[in-house]
Amino acid sequence: MLRRWGVFAVLVVLVGVMAGCSSAKKASASNAKTAVALEFVRCTADGKYADAVTHFDDAMSRAMSADQLKQAWESLIGRYGAFKKIGETRTGQEGGFDEVFVAVNFEKIILDVKVVFDKDGKIGGLWFVPHISKTGAQYSPPAYAHNDRFVEREVTVGKGEWQLPGTLTIPNGKGPFTALVLVHGSGPENRDETIGPNKPFRDIAQGLASRGIAVLRYDKRTKVYPAQLAKFAATNKFTVKEETIDDAIAAVSLLRKTKEINSDRIYVLGHSLGGILIPRIGKADPKIYGLIMMAGCGTQPLEDVILRQLTYIASLNGPITADTKKEINKEVQSFIKSAPAPYLLDLRRYIPAAVEMAKSLKQPMLILQGRRDYQATTADFNIWKTKLSSRTDVTFKLYPDLNHLFITGKGKITPQEYEVPGHVSEKVVDDIAAWIKR
């Protein structure tokens, strides 16, 4: 739930306004971007904020001023201690955008400054994310994903101005196959729901396809069209319907028209915020055959969730002081001010009533929760389990050693755990497959 805020101790998605795509760059161009990213970080660390923002493109300049960059940097120092040094760099590309990650050492933590470039070599996106080393950033498929048992092809979800690129993973053999749509958590997610070196949606898609179930995953609308959505949000009409639900329904519609898919056996799985929205998705399309919630048992308004998560993260450093509480409240208020009012009001009304909506649905449901998850809590999971106890077609599963990404871990969960390469537990993939095939 609210994974992008829950994993990191500050409002990590500081800015993400991209307005164009670029092709793969030559090595010299990559080196030039690395030099720009390093110069930006050096200027910021030296307090030369006005110089730093000269590297921004027009959209970024409108979204973040020198004063706002200063506030963001000072917030990091307030939480993580004094800036120490700049570390290694690495490059990447996602969704057609070139990225440079610059490691920044603070007293208490190492973060990566993720700098995203537009087609003209200007900075068009900026995030502060957990540090991942060059070797740790490499993804390898889980052992339970058997490449000889499936094929993948590119597809387009939706029509018109909001078309989204996606991947359909189809088992080998003769169909039609039962199929599953994957719905992301919060933030501008890609189709793999990538966080650090981990790609939980790719794990699930390839794991299930290896077990005979087709899976469709796609890039989220907020990732593909951030600039357009920023303009749309200004019209005071932007809610989770436009952000998530409409595209999930479009993905189901695409599968119904796909010849290899059994149009009567389509399921939808939502993770985190996507899981919270599963009852609304099920209500919007009653013909969806079954619904799966992963870490989606919400009971509190969004701002309360953020407060709880930030408080938990702060507690990892010891007792929470009055100054820490002020900083946490400041960050929560900053989120509330930055989010579109209709978006927050919509979720404020919906989340506390979501379990009641789930009661009225006709589709069977599978509800999964990791006990080591501090974003979506076991307490909320138990509330849902109690309130849906009258429904015999709802299955609940709690995994003692799994975190918010359904990756195995030990001890007390910390944000740094998401920096460690891992895979969605094979037990979870097996349970989903067995439930779908029941």
Side-chain angles (χ1 to χ4, degrees):
M1 187 189 306
L2 259 191
R3 183 162 62 86
R4 288 300 181 195
W5 281 283
V7 172
F8 318 132
V10 298
L11 295 181
V12 176
V13 186
L14 292 173
V15 183
V17 286
M18 297 298 299
C21 293
S22 58
S23 60
K25 304 297 182 180
K26 295 180 180 179
S28 59
S30 177
N31 292 338
K33 290 183 173 67
T34 298
V36 171
L38 282 168
E39 177 65 16
F40 167 78
V41 174
R42 289 192 188 103
C43 287
T44 302
D46 291 342
K48 300 176 181 178
Y49 306 107
D51 292 338
V53 299
T54 61
H55 297 289
F56 287 172
D57 66 9
D58 290 342
M60 269 293 290
S61 295
R62 290 192 296 270
M64 174 172 272
S65 66
D67 284 342
Q68 289 171 315
L69 177 61
K70 177 183 178 182
Q71 292 173 14
W73 185 255
E74 290 179 347
S75 176
L76 292 171
I77 291 173
R79 184 167 296 279
Y80 299 123
F83 163 76
K84 291 296 186 182
K85 66 177 182 177
I86 294 174
E88 67 176 1
T89 64
R90 59 183 173 89
T91 60
Q93 191 178 71
E94 186 178 339
F97 300 116
D98 291 312
E99 306 169 332
V100 176
F101 297 81
V102 181
V104 178
N105 294 58
F106 295 92
E107 283 183 328
K108 299 177 182 178
I109 198 173
I110 302 176
L111 294 178
D112 281 342
V113 181
K114 178 181 177 181
V115 184
V116 188
F117 290 88
D118 68 8
K119 65 181 186 300
D120 297 318
K122 288 281 194 177
I123 296 175
L126 174 65
W127 286 263
F128 293 90
V129 299
H131 171 63
I132 305 294
S133 67
K134 287 183 179 180
T135 55
Q138 302 302 313
Y139 171 85
S140 59
Y144 55 75
H146 303 282
N147 291 336
D148 59 338
R149 298 182 186 178
F150 61 84
V151 295
E152 292 192 318
R153 69 168 184 251
E154 297 298 292
V155 297
T156 300
V157 174
K159 299 178 180 179
E161 62 179 335
W162 304 117
Q163 293 183 42
L164 301 172
T167 300
L168 178 58
T169 309
I170 308 174
N172 291 332
K174 186 179 180 180
F177 299 102
T178 296
L180 176 70
V181 172
L182 301 182
V183 183
H184 335 64
S186 60
E189 302 279 7
N190 66 14
R191 70 195 72 182
D192 294 330
E193 212 183 32
T194 301
I195 179 166
N198 300 302
K199 298 180 182 292
F201 273 12
R202 185 184 295 188
D203 292 348
I204 292 171
Q206 296 184 352
L208 290 178
S210 299
R211 290 154 174 77
I213 299 166
V215 181
L216 173 58
R217 64 194 196 273
Y218 53 91
D219 292 343
K220 195 172 176 182
R221 188 182 296 196
T222 46
K223 181 169 186 61
V224 181
Y225 300 108
Q228 295 91 321
L229 286 172
K231 293 179 181 178
F232 181 74
T235 67
N236 287 323
K237 297 179 181 178
F238 182 67
T239 69
V240 289
K241 180 179 183 297
E242 292 77 23
E243 180 201 30
T244 299
I245 297 172
D246 286 349
D247 295 327
I249 299 302
V252 172
S253 178
L254 173 63
L255 286 178
R256 289 194 178 118
K257 300 172 184 176
T258 303
K259 63 179 181 179
E260 297 96 334
I261 303 303
N262 182 344
S263 61
D264 294 327
R265 292 292 186 273
I266 297 174
Y267 294 74
V268 177
L269 179 154
H271 174 238
S272 197
L273 180 61
I276 292 173
L277 297 175
I278 278 294
R280 282 177 69 167
I281 293 170
K283 184 176 181 180
D285 187 347
K287 293 183 179 180
I288 294 171
Y289 194 73
L291 303 167
I292 302 173
M293 295 173 59
M294 296 182 70
C297 294
T299 63
Q300 299 174 308
L302 207 55
E303 51 267 43
D304 292 345
V305 173
I306 296 172
L307 175 62
R308 186 190 71 229
Q309 292 179 14
L310 292 177
T311 301
Y312 172 83
I313 293 170
S315 72
L316 297 174
N317 295 322
I320 297 177
T321 65
D323 288 341
T324 303
K325 288 182 179 179
K326 289 180 181 178
E327 183 64 25
I328 291 172
N329 288 330
K330 182 180 178 180
E331 291 177 7
V332 173
Q333 291 304 312
S334 177
F335 164 73
I336 293 172
K337 291 178 181 178
S338 64
Y343 185 94
L344 286 180
L345 291 172
D346 181 32
L347 285 177
R348 190 176 294 165
R349 288 190 293 264
Y350 165 69
I351 292 177
V355 67
E356 296 300 325
M357 182 180 291
K359 280 184 180 181
S360 67
L361 298 176
K362 302 300 181 183
Q363 299 103 320
M365 298 181 68
L366 173 64
I367 299 179
L368 311 177
Q369 175 71 36
R371 190 186 294 276
R372 297 181 64 255
D373 186 345
Y374 69 85
Q375 284 100 318
T377 68
T378 304
D380 285 345
F381 172 82
N382 288 332
I383 290 173
W384 275 66
K385 190 174 183 179
T386 298
K387 291 193 174 184
L388 294 180
S389 59
S390 61
R391 283 194 57 176
T392 58
D393 59 347
V394 179
T395 302
F396 289 85
K397 288 187 176 292
L398 180 64
Y399 302 93
D401 58 344
L402 301 188
N403 61 26
H404 190 64
L405 302 184
F406 289 80
I407 296 174
T408 302
K410 296 181 179 180
K412 193 169 187 178
I413 177 71
T414 71
Q416 286 69 42
E417 185 169 312
Y418 298 98
E419 304 170 30
V420 180
H423 294 292
V424 172
S425 168
E426 186 171 7
K427 172 63 174 172
V428 173
V429 175
D430 285 339
D431 285 347
I432 293 172
W435 185 79
I436 288 176
K437 294 178 177 180
R438 71 201 184 286

